[in-house]
Amino acid sequence: MSVLRLAIPSPLRRAFDYLPPAGMSEAQLHNLQPGSRVRVPFGRREVTGYLLGVEPDSDVPEKSLKAALAILDPVPLVNPRLLQLCYWAADYYHHPLGEVLKAIYPKRLRAGKTHQPLGTAGWRLTTHGLGLAPGALARSPRQAQTLTMLRERGTVKTAQLKDQGVSQAVLRSLRDKGLIEEAVVPMQAQPASSGQGLSLNPEQAIVISELLKAPAGFVCHLLEGVTGSGKTEIYLQLIADCLQRGQQALVLIPEIGLTPQTLNRFEQRFCANIAVFHSGLGDAQRYRAWEAARDGSAHIVIGTRSAIFTPLRNLGLIVVDEEHDGSYKQQDGFRYSARDVAVKRAQLEDCPILLGSATPSLESIHNALAGRYQHHRLTQRAGSGRMPTITTLDVRRQALQAGLSAALVSAIKDKLEAGQQALLFLNRRGYAPTLQCHDCGWIAECEACDARLTVHRRLRRLRCHHCGASRPLSRQCPHCHGNSLLAAGLGTEQTEEFLREQFSQWPVYRVDSDSMQGKDAMQDLVTEINKGEPCILLGTQMLTKGHHFPGVNLVAVIDTDAMLFSTDFRGEERMAQLLTQVAGRAGRADLPGSVMLQTHYPDHPALQAMLNCSYAQQAREQLARRQATGMPPAGQLLVLRTDCDDAECGEQFLQDLRDQTAADLPAGAAMIGPLPSPMQRRAGKFRSQLLLRAPNRRTAQAAAGLLVAVAETLPARRGLKWSIDIDPQDVF
Ligand code: ADP
Ligand code: ZN
Ligand code: ZN
């Protein structure tokens, strides 16, 4: 008795067997291919499962098996290579396969709706209609004519039928007789073409020729090119080559804020159908983009993290821009790295992949140095731009106003008066990170997190930046009822207020997630700034990501010290990336720019390195330190996390897990913890973690398999939830 083996979205890491739907023949059964969606009863619900295979028998006795309700896709919608990728990802990230498969489909297909191809509404003959003898409808000549037309031309668009004088009434009566049915005339994929590229400078020309020379098939290329060196031009020319071969290109970018600018450059260069995926899409738009990628009518697919799982009919190239960016890692649920999945996908599709960044991750540099990736470099700015000079601004014993030293204020003034733009970086939004009572010392804290509330003066609210809790800002201390509440520390709102007073003749633009609401906000701002009028830009990390501001020629980091003493093992890597990216906004046109880092620690080795070494050199030195400590990419890490209403419960769970796996752990793997997470309580849940370090990937995978298998057998009390994170971004 054959059974359908299915992956079902559920926390259970196993497959489920079902009997075929009633009335299905053996022949139909054996024509089924993995990947088809199948509607099944599951517990008390009806869900969409994904076919893994038709198996000759089941471990479950036949009488306990339920029958599937319907096969939704007679032919799977995704190709075997994408399925393989999902199998790999579920295995590598130890995430339930059903959840992984579900994640690749748009909402309506997940919900079990029939697949609708893109195209135009039309009509065709039914089997019955096809079998009808000619002349059968002799008494209704209009109907007979319509049948003849459909017999000759297959599916015909409704609009064309109307043009030929076929009325709605005729179509309706033919349909009622079961002779014709509605159908979709599929989209015709038009060939794509590319406009003239820029004429390349010598460095770019070398890179392009190396890329085009590489053998067909899978190769991973790392393009390490300083900010403004013309990486995007390289992407465009490589994509042009891919389109010319008649294949599709997939481009990953880190943030939605980047989409409009990137999209413009693509639209200007290519005469092609470009499908864009980002979190701002509605369900219907997302479905159309997905389907266009799948049926091959989209030539280029551009998207953020999750776009890496887009089905593509004929993938010929993957580009991952800003490959070091933290947003490629999904931090909850299915915790995957889109960059790493992209490399695996290129391997399975046997196509080239290009990872690009001014500040590549140590992982990618490590792979390049080990010869696994082909390494390409752009060391000069393209066109006329020159690299900025970086200096520190010692603020010890200096009076600071809203975080700014007198020296910085006067540097900003000089630039504005010279008709130039200044960009100030402060990675903390809100007015002040703390509200304190001057009389009794009370501090406003979040009720659900181990965190202070941030003062948002303009909204007159206190907000938690970790769980989103929010409450009105009052003038009175709730503890002593005094009226001396003080906003302590610095946020962008406060500095903005000061700048507006100080520089009232010039516009001040604040750029953070509070001020940049709405999907066009960032694009509108970029357009405004790039008119080139003198102004001040003040913003958080949002400002540093890939935007081009040719008129900016002073960049200042207001609170450099906030980055200096991170306890995370990636702290110094992140700082070098962030400072290099911020600095990269300066001097992009013909004026040389300058970068000022305000600090109390001008002699700190990390800052000295910023002043004296390129990012490439800093990264290599950091890599040597990782090698010495066995941290990634020299070694492998994984974290098991719990979150729970009760502080002890989570830690006990992890302790039991540690005790029960210690004896069987593969040699070389070592566990650290359990320990409370750095912020133990968040959104009302207590969080703990158990860290595992291993010398190589194989050991880490074996240990992960063991931990997950044992964790699944442990009783989880009081709503405890656990998760595993392979290659975590943050651990301390
Ligand atoms: P990156 O992606 O490395 O930051 P871009 O590709 O955005 O760099 O290029 C930076 C600027 O230099 C852009 O304005 C781009 O139009 C220009 N540019 C790139 N390549 C060339 C070239 N070969 N000749 C002239 N200008 C170029
Ligand atoms: Zn008080
Ligand atoms: Zn909170």
Side-chain angles (χ1 to χ4, degrees):
M1 180 64 228
S2 300
V3 295
L4 305 177
R5 187 150 299 161
L6 303 181
I8 289 189
S10 94
L12 301 171
R13 288 169 174 78
R14 64 178 189 83
F16 294 84
D17 290 346
Y18 282 86
L19 297 171
M24 193 165 191
S25 73
E26 274 298 297
Q28 284 171 321
L29 195 58
H30 287 280
N31 277 334
L32 288 179
Q33 295 297 317
S36 290
R37 295 174 303 137
V38 182
R39 204 68 184 157
V40 293
F42 189 70
R44 255 174 273 155
R45 293 175 303 146
E46 228 183 68
V47 302
T48 304
Y50 305 90
L51 185 67
L52 301 176
V54 178
E55 301 294 331
D57 49 39
S58 175
D59 293 340
V60 182
E62 193 180 326
K63 63 178 182 340
S64 322
L65 288 174
K66 290 187 199 163
L69 302 169
I71 305 288
L72 298 174
D73 308 315
V75 178
L77 299 176
V78 297
N79 68 35
R81 299 179 302 282
L82 180 53
L83 275 185
Q84 283 302 320
L85 184 74
C86 293
Y87 296 170
W88 173 84
D91 194 51
Y92 182 75
Y93 293 107
H94 296 269
H95 196 71
L97 179 57
E99 296 281 351
V100 174
L101 289 169
K102 172 180 155 185
I104 74 176
Y105 287 91
K107 206 164 166 189
R108 73 163 83 149
L109 295 178
R110 266 183 227 168
K113 298 245 166 66
T114 330
H115 170 246
Q116 296 276 346
L118 295 184
T120 323
W123 292 89
R124 67 174 173 215
L125 296 182
T126 59
T127 318
H128 182 38
L130 278 166
L132 204 67
L137 291 175
R139 277 191 298 155
S140 354
R142 289 221 167 267
Q143 293 186 20
Q145 244 173 20
T146 307
L147 284 188
T148 314
M149 198 188 320
L150 293 178
R151 182 169 291 122
E152 282 163 5
R153 290 166 48 186
T155 310
V156 179
K157 291 179 188 166
T158 312
Q160 273 172 354
L161 291 169
K162 199 174 150 207
D163 289 346
Q164 304 278 329
V166 179
S167 70
Q168 282 293 325
V170 168
L171 291 171
R172 226 175 298 126
S173 49
L174 285 170
R175 183 193 56 202
D176 294 345
K177 290 178 186 154
L179 297 174
I180 67 170
E181 63 192 359
E182 278 171 293
V184 171
V185 185
M187 299 259 284
Q188 288 293 320
Q190 303 295 328
S193 65
S194 164
Q196 185 66 41
L198 298 176
S199 73
L200 298 177
N201 66 32
E203 273 195 330
Q204 287 173 314
I206 291 173
V207 171
I208 269 290
S209 82
E210 284 172 353
L211 287 168
L212 295 179
K213 209 166 59 197
F218 171 68
V219 185
C220 184
H221 300 277
L222 175 64
L223 176 57
E224 185 176 6
V226 299
T227 47
S229 58
K231 295 183 290 297
T232 311
E233 184 60 32
I234 300 279
Y235 305 157
L236 294 173
Q237 299 204 9
L238 201 60
I239 291 166
D241 174 69
C242 168
L243 298 184
Q244 208 185 354
R245 282 182 274 121
Q247 294 189 293
Q248 295 169 287
L250 172 61
V251 181
L252 297 187
I253 53 174
E255 304 274 332
I256 178 168
L258 276 175
T259 325
Q261 263 187 325
T262 313
L263 196 61
N264 281 347
R265 285 178 82 172
F266 279 73
E267 278 171 347
Q268 276 166 21
R269 178 62 55 86
F270 299 110
C271 179
N273 185 5
I274 303 177
V276 185
F277 288 90
H278 56 74
S279 54
L281 290 185
D283 290 340
Q285 290 169 304
R286 180 171 298 274
Y287 182 80
R288 275 199 301 278
W290 189 87
E291 189 53 30
R294 197 191 77 84
D295 74 12
S297 57
H299 305 102
I300 302 174
V301 173
I302 303 180
T304 48
R305 182 173 64 221
S306 62
I308 191 53
F309 290 105
T310 311
L312 288 146
R313 189 190 177 107
N314 186 10
L315 179 57
L317 171 70
I318 304 179
V319 174
V320 183
D321 190 23
E322 309 289 359
E323 66 88 31
H324 67 281
D325 198 281
S327 72
Y328 284 126
K329 179 72 197 271
Q330 175 134 317
Q331 303 278 22
D332 54 8
F334 174 26
R335 294 168 174 79
Y336 64 96
S337 152
R339 188 226 16 243
D340 296 348
V341 173
V343 174
K344 185 67 194 181
R345 183 161 190 186
Q347 201 182 356
L348 290 169
E349 300 269 359
D350 200 27
C351 76
I353 175 168
L354 177 61
L355 310 178
S357 175
T359 55
S361 61
L362 296 191
E363 278 76 4
S364 295
I365 292 180
H366 179 67
N367 282 323
L369 295 177
R372 282 189 286 273
Y373 295 175
Q374 275 195 28
H375 200 173
H376 312 269
R377 282 203 191 83
L378 296 172
T379 60
Q380 315 270 314
R381 286 214 160 149
S384 55
R386 272 187 274 163
M387 292 304 279
T389 50
I390 307 182
T391 51
T392 50
L393 206 63
D394 186 351
V395 296
R396 282 175 296 186
R397 290 181 299 276
Q398 304 288 314
L400 298 178
Q401 287 178 286
L404 309 181
S405 62
L408 179 53
V409 171
S410 99
I412 298 170
K413 188 153 178 272
D414 290 348
K415 292 294 169 188
L416 293 172
E417 285 176 347
Q420 295 161 3
Q421 299 174 336
L423 183 155
L424 309 181
F425 177 74
L426 176 61
N427 210 13
R428 207 178 305 112
R429 64 197 169 88
Y431 185 84
T434 303
L435 183 70
Q436 192 177 28
C437 173
H438 195 48
D439 295 338
C440 75
W442 170 87
I443 284 177
E445 288 175 334
C446 179
E447 281 164 16
C449 306
D450 293 333
R452 293 176 176 184
L453 294 171
T454 300
V455 181
H456 285 256
R457 196 132 105 184
R458 193 152 315 158
L459 297 169
R460 309 210 54 73
R461 293 194 86 78
L462 286 167
R463 282 178 154 185
C464 174
H465 287 185
H466 304 282
C467 71
S470 159
R471 59 175 198 248
L473 182 61
S474 78
R475 291 181 184 280
Q476 206 179 46
C477 170
H479 186 245
C480 73
H481 305 290
N483 288 320
S484 326
L485 292 179
L486 298 178
L490 195 62
T492 46
E493 259 187 38
Q494 194 177 140
T495 305
E496 177 195 18
E497 211 174 88
F498 169 77
L499 289 167
R500 283 189 195 280
E501 275 165 32
Q502 189 76 20
F503 297 106
S504 51
Q505 318 82 301
W506 289 286
V508 174
Y509 301 103
R510 174 163 61 95
V511 185
D512 55 31
S513 55
D514 298 322
S515 65
M516 290 290 113
Q517 300 281 331
K519 70 177 170 43
D520 299 327
M522 196 69 199
Q523 179 60 26
D524 292 348
L525 179 86
V526 171
T527 310
E528 182 60 34
I529 307 281
N530 286 345
K531 289 180 184 159
E533 297 299 315
C535 68
I536 300 174
L537 272 160
L538 165 70
T540 57
Q541 198 147 353
M542 247 191 157
L543 254 189
T544 65
K545 299 210 168 180
H547 300 290
H548 294 281
F549 300 114
V552 165
N553 117 327
L554 168 68
V555 167
V557 178
I558 296 175
D559 188 8
T560 315
D561 297 348
M563 287 178 255
L564 278 179
F565 302 102
S566 160
T567 49
D568 195 273
F569 77 98
R570 288 188 213 274
E572 59 174 359
E573 175 185 356
R574 292 232 179 82
M575 171 170 167
Q577 285 165 342
L578 191 57
L579 288 179
T580 308
Q581 295 285 351
V582 180
R585 303 308 119 205
R588 293 179 70 102
D590 35 7
L591 288 167
S594 53
V595 179
M596 292 178 162
L597 310 176
Q598 288 201 133
T599 178
H600 292 87
Y601 308 92
D603 300 322
H604 192 288
L607 287 182
Q608 285 300 314
M610 271 313 294
L611 302 193
N612 301 319
C613 310
S614 65
Y615 176 82
Q617 288 165 303
Q618 293 180 58
R620 280 152 190 78
E621 275 161 31
Q622 291 178 19
L623 201 50
R625 287 196 284 281
R626 298 267 185 96
Q627 227 106 35
T629 53
M631 291 305 256
Q636 300 283 314
L637 281 185
L638 61 91
V639 187
L640 269 121
R641 299 196 181 90
T642 51
D643 85 33
C644 188
D645 298 333
D646 173 314
E648 257 90 83
C649 195
E651 223 160 299
Q652 190 55 53
F653 180 91
L654 292 175
Q655 188 60 49
D656 292 347
L657 183 60
R658 179 175 181 147
D659 294 343
Q660 293 193 27
T661 50
D664 302 321
L665 216 56
M671 292 191 273
I672 304 163
L675 296 165
S677 298
M679 184 191 296
Q680 189 184 10
R681 201 168 51 102
R682 182 170 179 163
K685 300 283 186 191
F686 290 88
R687 307 173 319 143
S688 308
Q689 61 185 37
L690 176 65
L691 193 68
L692 184 134
R693 212 161 82 177
N696 54 51
R697 189 160 275 189
R698 180 134 55 86
T699 310
Q701 280 295 314
L706 175 69
L707 287 166
V708 166
V710 174
E712 286 194 312
T713 66
L714 292 178
R717 286 171 300 249
R718 292 191 225 193
L720 175 142
K721 288 212 179 71
W722 63 270
S723 63
I724 185 164
D725 190 354
I726 307 286
D727 306 329
Q729 283 286 305
D730 315 274
V731 288
F732 297 116

